[in-house]
Amino acid sequence: MEEMEEELKCPVCGSFYREPIILPCSHNICMACARNILVQTPDAESPRSRRASGSAASDYDYLDLDKMSLYSEADSGYGSYGGFASAPTTPCQKSPNGIRVFPPAVPPPAHPQPQHHLLQHPGSFPPIPRNSCITCPQCHRSLILDERGLRGFPKNRVLEGVVDRYQQSKAAALKCQLCEKSPKEATVMCEQCDVFYCEPCRMRCHPPRGPLAKHRLVPPAQGRVSRQLSPRKISTCTEHELENHSMYCVQCKIPVCYQCLEEGRHSSHEVKALGAMWKLHKGQLSQALNILSERAKEAQEFLVQLRNMVQQIQENSVEFEACLVAQCDALIDALNRRKVQLLSRVNGEHEHKLKVVRDQIAHCTVKLRQTTGLMEYCLEVIKENDPSGFLQISDALIRRVHMTESQWGKATLTPRMTSDFDLTLDSGPLLQTIHQLDFVQMKVPAAPILQLEECCSSSNSATLSWKQPPLSTVQVEGYILELDDGNGGQFREVYVGKETMCTVDGLHFNSTYNSRVKAFNKTGVSQYSQTLVLQTSETGLNPCELKSLGAVAWFTFDPSSAHPDIIFSNDNLTVTCSSYDDRVVLGNTGFSRGVHYWEMTVDRYDNHPDPAFGVARIDTLKDVMLGKDDKAWAMYVDNNRSWFMHNNSHTNRTEGGISKACTVGVLLDLNNRILIFSINDEPQGPIAFEKMEGLLFPAISLNRNVQVTLHSGLAIPEFYIQRHVEHPTSLC
């Protein structure tokens, strides 16, 4: 009930509605408040030209905004008409609901009047001036009042009754009428007994059995309302005040009286019974309320979710802050440990310098003491007066002095170590890293969503498309697409990258593949998307069924895997070569099961070359004749004869060659694991190769003297079908 209180308050005064009236815009306002916000329009504007009454809800019109707008763009409130003598000049006031309103404008009397002339009967209102205008305080629509003034607007009896019941339900609690001493709070009221009971008195005096079991017990507030309600007020017509509403105008959507139908503007309108429309609109309102109730329930659940998110955010914030502090402390600890290591190196350098200098000091001290002793000895020798004795030792002393002097050279008198430390701490990269220290995405991506409308399969390839969930904000570095083996086996990765669409070629024909995709970033890998099932095309059947159902597999030559000397044309269906050496080109589709047949027409054949036709693995050699390695199976042919070749082994020489306009056919039956060749629709030799298995691609090797055109998607040739009809047990 408390949530409804705002609906029961006037937008002008902010209090509960008192005598509410319905404006043409369907909003409500107190009668007294409506008088307070009336504004007189210019005399030049005729009220007849802007007539709008409360009873004409469907055809009222509003004032032009450029002439008579009451809405102030500056303060989003209400203003008066500038320059009008009758406009209010007192400052506007603000209602409790935040809407600016003007107090009623009462122009001063032209002549002083006795005081008793100004007295009015309590509850009466001054007459409304002509050409008055009112603006809805909620939607800001304005309209001119007609000669009836505010009486032209219908009174909202329903709203008035709801306000009364609400105010009564908020009153003081009712007391039990049967308690002898201190009355307790009443819990029910019996409508038949017209007595309020507390729970003990009800059980004692009004037991739910016998004749009293049929009495209707209601809550006290409802009982008080039903006790105090007066007989229902009958709504009267706003145009014919003596007539009660008895019908409903469907076009104008308002209740009308009989006189409105006979004399008024509703005479030609469609009308219906008031009671029937009352029930109909109640049903419509109930249905709308049911829908709104569901939305309110969803909103309530959403609010619960948001409140839970608030709690979760607070908990995650505490946890994240603790994690951040721990990480920063770990960085500080690592920096302290590194500081200890660097200080140790500085101390080592310090000790080394001191040792070198001290060793040099000791060495120089000894040397200087020896030099000083020699000098003193020489001075004493010089004092000797015996020439012969002096000359006996002078040469040796001179040599010693020169030798000692030479030992005090520049290197001896130069410090072996500088006092400066040649270590400089390179902290720039670390400081830059610290400045760049920031948060990275700590969550794994959400599971991608497969876009089913863009996923498809064609021939033996499958195209898949996916996207991230719309509300996902987690950074994605790439995607991993996985497919199984077409037989429900294990999944394998077929694509890893940033693209959101991938086409996988070389799948098995007539197979069902399961596919899924997941996203990844530095933090980890997401969950898998939903599994999508794709079916490749049917291309081959059991040989016993070939006559009725042929195999179909369309493909072209593949420029991406061909030798660079191969020249393509005709949408990659025609190839030749720019080299005199044999070069290999493969088809763009590989086969691993089924029966497949294709032909190549020789468009140009010069100087009797020997092109080779057959099948190969994807990694076969491309710069030698087809069949030279162990990854290709071929028939090479000239103008007279042909040979089969695999792993450079030549077998089954067969007479009959090719020329311009000849057709070479290749039939790969992977159901029976054999390879057969034909020239001009006739078999060329026996079965060329057996035990064929794995993924095999159509292939040809040729040089510049040959040009061929590919024809794929062909039916199984008649000679092969006839062979299996004659020998069904060998292959079926």
Side-chain angles (χ1 to χ4, degrees):
M1 292 286 286
E2 293 181 357
E3 289 82 358
M4 183 180 63
E5 186 169 317
E6 290 300 321
E7 292 285 335
L8 307 181
K9 290 184 177 181
C10 175
V12 177
C13 64
S15 302
F16 288 107
Y17 284 106
R18 295 185 299 275
E19 298 185 11
I21 59 175
I22 306 175
L23 299 179
C25 56
S26 300
H27 292 130
N28 300 283
I29 189 174
C30 297
M31 176 68 78
C33 295
R35 290 182 175 273
N36 285 342
I37 63 175
L38 284 177
V39 177
Q40 188 173 357
T41 60
D43 294 338
E45 185 70 31
S46 173
R48 296 177 183 268
S49 64
R50 291 287 184 178
R51 175 185 178 89
S53 65
S55 61
S58 62
D59 52 352
Y60 70 90
D61 42 8
Y62 302 112
L63 299 177
D64 295 335
L65 293 179
D66 57 344
K67 296 181 180 179
M68 297 185 164
S69 175
L70 298 183
Y71 181 69
S72 170
E73 297 180 358
D75 57 5
S76 300
Y78 293 92
S80 61
Y81 298 110
F84 298 160
S86 59
T89 58
T90 56
C92 63
Q93 299 173 347
K94 200 169 185 180
S95 73
N97 282 4
I99 297 178
R100 297 175 182 241
V101 296
F102 286 102
V106 181
H111 302 286
Q113 296 181 1
Q115 186 68 23
H116 66 277
H117 288 167
L118 300 178
L119 297 177
Q120 296 180 358
H121 189 275
S124 63
F125 297 96
I128 297 175
R130 293 177 56 82
N131 301 345
S132 294
C133 166
I134 188 172
T135 300
C136 175
Q138 291 181 277
C139 64
H140 312 301
R141 293 180 177 179
S142 304
L143 68 150
I144 301 296
L145 302 185
D146 58 13
E147 61 275 3
R148 293 174 299 167
L150 296 177
R151 291 184 296 106
F153 299 116
K155 295 182 179 180
N156 196 335
R157 304 289 186 187
V158 174
L159 177 58
E160 191 173 6
V162 173
V163 171
D164 290 341
R165 292 196 297 273
Y166 180 78
Q167 289 178 322
Q168 290 171 1
S169 66
K170 300 288 286 184
L174 296 171
K175 302 296 182 181
C176 176
Q177 294 178 273
L178 298 182
C179 290
E180 296 180 356
K181 295 184 179 180
S182 57
K184 298 180 180 179
E185 183 177 346
T187 56
V188 294
M189 174 196 173
C190 177
E191 290 186 339
Q192 284 72 27
C193 301
D194 196 19
V195 176
F196 291 96
Y197 298 95
C198 65
E199 190 63 23
C201 293
R202 184 189 67 81
M203 297 299 296
R204 185 179 70 255
C205 304
H206 202 291
R209 59 182 180 272
L212 298 178
K214 298 182 179 180
H215 287 199
R216 184 168 181 262
L217 302 178
V218 296
Q222 181 179 345
R224 177 168 56 184
V225 171
S226 62
R227 174 187 286 184
Q228 296 180 356
L229 278 179
S230 59
R232 185 167 60 115
K233 298 179 181 180
I234 303 300
S235 178
T236 59
C237 181
T238 56
E239 295 187 4
H240 310 95
E241 297 181 356
L242 300 180
E243 296 290 338
N244 296 332
H245 288 145
S246 57
M247 301 296 288
Y248 181 83
C249 179
V250 177
Q251 181 175 343
C252 299
K253 298 182 179 180
I254 57 173
V256 295
C257 65
Y258 280 110
Q259 194 169 350
C260 290
L261 300 179
E262 294 177 357
E263 304 173 359
R265 56 190 178 88
H266 304 281
S267 58
S268 60
H269 294 176
E270 179 186 0
V271 295
K272 291 187 177 181
L274 194 64
M277 294 303 296
W278 175 48
K279 293 180 180 180
L280 176 62
H281 281 206
K282 272 196 172 183
Q284 293 176 352
L285 180 59
S286 298
Q287 293 179 358
L289 281 177
N290 289 335
I291 299 175
L292 184 60
S293 175
E294 292 296 326
R295 295 293 178 269
K297 184 178 179 181
E298 294 176 1
Q300 187 175 6
E301 294 175 353
F302 180 66
L303 285 175
V304 172
Q305 179 182 354
L306 291 180
R307 292 189 183 99
N308 293 336
M309 286 183 62
V310 170
Q311 180 66 23
Q312 191 66 34
I313 288 173
Q314 293 175 347
E315 295 176 358
N316 291 343
S317 175
V318 173
E319 180 181 353
F320 188 77
E321 288 178 3
C323 180
L324 177 62
V325 171
Q327 289 177 320
C328 291
D329 290 343
L331 292 176
I332 294 173
D333 291 341
L335 186 61
N336 287 331
R337 289 193 298 271
R338 187 57 179 168
K339 180 179 72 174
V340 172
Q341 296 174 356
L342 294 176
L343 286 175
S344 176
R345 288 183 58 185
V346 172
N347 291 333
E349 185 72 11
H350 169 253
E351 296 296 333
H352 173 67
K353 286 180 176 291
L354 288 179
K355 183 179 183 302
V356 172
V357 173
R358 286 170 179 169
D359 290 345
Q360 191 174 11
I361 290 174
H363 176 73
C364 290
T365 301
V366 173
K367 194 70 175 176
L368 181 61
R369 185 169 60 249
Q370 294 175 350
T371 301
T372 303
L374 178 61
M375 290 173 58
E376 292 177 352
Y377 173 69
C378 290
L379 289 175
E380 292 298 326
V381 171
I382 291 175
K383 294 178 182 180
E384 189 64 40
N385 294 324
D386 184 5
S388 60
F390 177 82
L391 292 174
Q392 286 179 347
I393 62 174
S394 60
D395 288 337
L397 287 177
I398 292 172
R399 287 195 300 271
R400 285 186 61 189
V401 169
H402 283 301
M403 185 182 300
T404 301
E405 187 275 334
S406 64
Q407 291 177 355
W408 288 102
K410 185 176 181 180
T412 306
L413 298 178
T414 301
R416 299 176 185 175
M417 186 64 64
T418 63
S419 60
D420 297 331
F421 282 80
D422 296 332
L423 301 176
T424 301
L425 184 63
D426 186 13
S427 60
L430 179 59
L431 290 175
Q432 183 178 2
T433 303
I434 293 176
H435 292 153
Q436 294 176 350
L437 188 63
D438 202 351
F439 297 105
V440 295
Q441 189 64 53
M442 297 299 294
K443 292 184 178 180
V444 298
I449 299 176
L450 288 172
Q451 301 190 86
L452 302 180
E453 65 278 2
E454 298 184 13
C455 298
C456 62
S457 61
S458 175
S459 188
N460 68 330
S461 64
T463 299
L464 293 100
S465 176
W466 58 88
K467 64 179 180 179
Q468 277 297 102
L471 299 180
S472 176
T473 58
V474 180
Q475 182 180 2
V476 175
E477 295 184 0
Y479 301 93
I480 301 174
L481 176 62
E482 296 182 358
L483 267 70
D484 65 1
D485 59 358
N487 288 322
Q490 292 184 348
F491 282 89
R492 67 186 191 282
E493 294 182 2
V494 296
Y495 171 76
V496 178
K498 297 182 178 180
E499 299 297 330
T500 58
M501 178 176 286
C502 178
T503 298
V504 183
D505 298 318
L507 301 178
H508 299 314
F509 284 93
N510 194 24
S511 300
T512 301
Y513 285 88
N514 295 310
S515 59
R516 62 188 184 184
V517 64
K518 58 184 178 181
F520 66 88
N521 59 15
K522 294 180 180 179
T523 306
V525 181
S526 73
Q527 298 291 328
Y528 284 105
S529 67
Q530 60 178 338
T531 301
L532 180 64
V533 179
L534 294 171
Q535 175 70 41
T536 55
S537 303
E538 295 184 0
T539 62
L541 300 172
N542 187 286
C544 296
E545 301 171 315
L546 290 176
K547 189 172 183 179
S548 57
L549 292 174
V552 178
W554 290 271
F555 60 90
T556 64
F557 289 116
D558 184 16
S560 62
S561 62
H563 191 278
D565 292 341
I566 296 295
I567 301 174
F568 295 85
S569 60
N570 189 23
D571 294 331
N572 298 332
L573 292 175
T574 301
V575 292
T576 185
C577 183
S578 61
S579 172
Y580 285 103
D581 297 323
D582 290 313
R583 300 292 185 243
V584 174
V585 57
L586 304 180
N588 62 358
T589 299
F591 307 110
S592 60
R593 65 180 66 179
V595 182
H596 312 278
Y597 178 71
W598 61 93
E599 293 179 348
M600 298 184 193
T601 302
V602 180
D603 302 327
R604 180 166 49 82
Y605 187 76
D606 302 328
N607 302 324
H608 309 299
D610 46 0
F613 306 84
V615 296
R617 308 285 188 202
I618 188 67
D619 55 347
T620 187
L621 297 176
K622 306 296 194 310
D623 56 354
V624 295
M625 179 183 288
L626 190 68
K628 286 285 187 178
D629 59 4
D630 62 348
K631 297 178 181 179
W633 296 259
M635 176 188 73
Y636 69 94
V637 56
D638 58 16
N639 61 323
N640 292 321
R641 61 192 67 83
S642 66
W643 293 264
F644 301 147
M645 184 167 62
H646 169 65
N647 199 14
N648 204 24
S649 174
H650 308 255
T651 60
N652 296 99
R653 171 178 168 174
T654 304
E655 295 298 323
I658 61 172
S659 60
K660 182 179 179 180
C662 283
T663 299
V664 178
V666 182
L667 192 147
L668 177 63
D669 185 353
L670 290 169
N671 292 344
N672 296 285
R673 302 167 62 190
I674 60 175
L675 181 64
I676 298 175
F677 297 96
S678 66
I679 297 178
N680 295 330
D681 296 328
E682 294 294 333
Q684 183 70 7
I687 294 177
F689 301 99
E690 298 179 341
K691 298 181 180 180
M692 306 294 295
E693 59 184 4
L695 184 62
L696 300 172
F697 291 81
I700 181 177
S701 65
L702 70 171
N703 61 16
R704 63 182 303 165
N705 294 315
V706 182
Q707 176 176 305
V708 299
T709 296
L710 172 67
H711 306 278
S712 63
L714 303 179
I716 304 304
E718 190 67 28
F719 74 85
Y720 189 66
I721 297 176
Q722 186 64 31
R723 175 183 296 182
H724 298 322
V725 170
E726 295 174 355
H727 308 283
T729 56
S730 62
L731 296 174
C732 294

